[in-house]
Structure formats: C-alpha cells, structure tokens
Amino acid sequence: MAIRAPHRSLRGISAVVALLAIGAVGCSEVSDAVDSAKDGAKKVARQRSVFSLDVGDCYNPNGKAEGTAYAVEIVPCDEAHEGQVVGEFAIDEGKEYPGDDGVSAIADERCPVEAQKYAPDTWVLPKGVSLFYYTPTKESWATGDRAVSCTYTSEKGTFKGSLDTAKSLKPEQTTYLEGSNAVYDALWANQPEKDTVEDDLAGYKAQAKAVAAALDAHVKGLEGIEGTEVGKLRATLTKAAGNWKKAASAADADAFYVAYDPAFDGIDPNESVAARKELGLATTVPADEAEVWAG
C-alpha cells in the first residue's frame, strides 16, 4: 500500500514510502511472526505525513535510497531513531518554484541558523549526526507547500535522546555558544570556491573580513563572562581578530598568507577547550573539526 500524496525531498537521505506487509509463515516461526506483526503494526500506527512534522519530533525515514518522502515513522525520542526535527521555516520566494538547487541553497543558509536555536552546542551531537532537511518539490510547491524541516540525522546507525539543549543552558553558556558558532559560520559560509588565494584574493579577503567581524562580536560577548580561562580565550581571540583584519586588508597574496596562518591557528577549536570546561560545556572537539585543524 502506498500513500498517495505530494512528496517532499530529503537532501542526502531518502524516505521512500512503503507500509509493511506481513506474509505467511510456517508453524515453527509463529512466535517470530507474532513479534514481527506487532512491530509492523506499531510502525504503521506511527506513520505520519512529512507535511505534519514538528520541531522536536524524533523519527525514522521509511527506506534508505535517496529520493523523496511522503511519510516517516514518528517514535519517542528515548527510543533509537535516525533523526530529529530541530528547526523549520517557510520559503518566501514568490509564486514560482525556485528550482531544486534554489530550494537547497535556501535551506543550506537557513537550516544551520534554525538548528542552533534548538541545539546550540554542536560538540554534544552524537557521532555521525549531520544536518539534513526536508524541502518542497516542484509537485508539492504547486499545492502550496513552502515549509522546510531541518533535521539532525544519523548518516549511519541510530541515536537515543532528544537534541534539545537550548532550554537547559545558562545565560553565559548561551552567550559563548552564539558567539563561537557565529565565528565558524562566518568562516565556512564565506569559503571561496577557488582553492588558492592567488586565484581569488578578493574572495579570501571577504571571508577574512566576515570572520574578523564575527570575532569582534564574540570577544565583546565574552567581556561579560567571568573566569580565568574565559579571559585567556578572549585574549587569544582578540589577537586572532587582528590577524584576520590584516588578512582582510592584504595588498597581495603573499601578505594575505602571512596574516592568514596565525589567524586560522587562532580559532583552532582546541584553543577553547579550557574555557568550555570552565563554563560547563562539552570539551571534546568534534572529529571533523579536529581533522581540519590537525592538517
């Protein structure tokens, strides 16, 4: 049995619709069949349209092949699950469908912002969990669908528990995370397409300017937070901001490189571990970030 409804796309992970069908079994397999039937009935009862997903919902996609989604299995967050909705927003782009690439570009920009409102500390995310999103397709757009559901989804395996950490944070923790997240967002969101500075000096200088501005704001936020280690980090980031500003105003590629190396080292996540510990935040640098700075 298939669900006949407009579909939505999930970038990177699919949820192909297929409700369980229970077949006949031999007598020796009756017990297993009963358990399977119960599990199948539970799964069917938990099916929900992707159009009704809410922030906080924990779910399992129906299938693995990349494609479109009509429904997902909603499960309690204390059970093993593959994903959780951590943000949502509506696309306001007029009457014409922006195209698949256009919709993805909008989600790429907005979902990290929405996700950080719900789960600000990416250092506590389960291993292997990444940001994905359900978006309208051309078909669902024609029916009035404009919603994007942002999810943290495990690329392999499952995890347990809700990722909702924002409500439990203290004011100083929130201030720190907002400032820190903004710095790395500025770094990666403004990454030039060219691999070398010589091929796009203007692009790399623009990136440096954005990172410097984010660092200035982060340092200002840290001024209101007490703590020896926080003070040390503030001094480190102040120096880093100066180097990013030098990179932003570099006259040529050579001058840019001279400023860039210490600027990049200055925002090495390892530099913030002691301050995070002092603030009561997670202190294990995510593997992907550790790899970037290790290189």
Side-chain angles (χ1 to χ4, degrees):
M1 175 181 180
I3 298 173
R4 304 298 179 186
H7 54 269
R8 302 174 77 186
S9 62
L10 175 62
R11 185 180 183 191
I13 292 181
S14 73
V16 180
V17 175
L19 300 184
L20 294 182
I22 303 169
V25 296
C27 294
S28 63
E29 300 174 319
V30 170
S31 179
D32 290 342
V34 170
D35 290 341
S36 178
K38 289 180 178 179
D39 291 341
K42 180 186 291 186
K43 184 177 180 69
V44 170
R46 289 174 168 180
Q47 295 297 307
R48 185 189 297 178
S49 165
V50 289
F51 295 95
S52 62
L53 282 172
D54 293 322
V55 173
D57 283 345
C58 294
Y59 71 94
N60 290 313
N62 292 325
K64 294 293 183 181
E66 187 167 351
T68 57
Y70 301 85
V72 295
E73 177 195 10
I74 301 299
V75 302
C77 290
D78 59 1
E79 290 186 14
H81 54 276
E82 295 181 39
Q84 182 175 14
V85 182
V86 294
E88 62 184 5
F89 65 91
I91 297 176
D92 183 16
E93 293 292 323
K95 295 182 179 180
E96 296 296 325
Y97 179 61
D100 294 345
D101 290 342
V103 168
S104 291
I106 294 168
D108 280 341
E109 180 178 355
R110 289 286 305 276
C111 272
V113 176
E114 298 303 320
Q116 286 177 14
K117 295 176 184 177
Y118 192 82
D121 192 355
T122 57
W123 287 31
V124 300
L125 292 175
K127 185 178 180 180
V129 168
S130 300
L131 193 59
F132 289 81
Y133 39 77
Y134 285 103
T135 59
T137 60
K138 183 176 182 180
E139 292 80 6
S140 68
W141 184 277
T143 69
D145 179 26
R146 301 292 186 274
V148 174
S149 297
C150 310
T151 82
Y152 271 123
T153 301
S154 177
E155 297 184 63
K156 184 178 181 181
T158 60
F159 61 96
K160 290 185 178 181
S162 174
L163 302 177
D164 183 6
T165 57
K167 296 177 183 177
S168 63
L169 293 173
K170 299 176 182 178
E172 61 270 23
Q173 293 174 322
T174 299
T175 297
Y176 170 82
L177 291 171
E178 288 178 347
S180 179
N181 289 340
V183 171
Y184 297 105
D185 285 347
L187 176 67
W188 302 123
N190 293 282
Q191 185 72 17
E193 293 184 5
K194 301 294 184 179
D195 292 333
T196 64
V197 177
E198 289 82 358
D199 290 333
D200 188 9
L201 178 60
Y204 280 91
K205 288 174 64 174
Q207 180 194 43
K209 182 178 180 179
V211 174
L215 277 169
D216 282 343
H218 188 23
V219 168
K220 184 175 182 180
L222 293 179
E223 291 175 355
I225 302 176
E226 297 181 356
T228 301
E229 297 301 333
V230 171
K232 292 179 181 178
L233 178 61
R234 186 168 62 245
T236 297
L237 296 181
T238 298
K239 184 177 181 179
N243 285 317
W244 281 104
K245 290 172 185 175
K246 289 179 181 178
S249 60
D252 53 38
D254 288 340
F256 182 91
Y257 282 123
V258 169
Y260 181 82
D261 286 344
F264 192 73
D265 290 342
I267 60 171
D268 183 338
N270 289 288
E271 296 287 342
S272 66
V273 169
R276 276 177 157 270
K277 182 176 181 180
E278 190 171 62
L279 289 168
L281 294 168
T283 57
T284 301
V285 181
D288 56 346
E289 294 184 30
E291 184 177 356
V292 170
W293 271 266

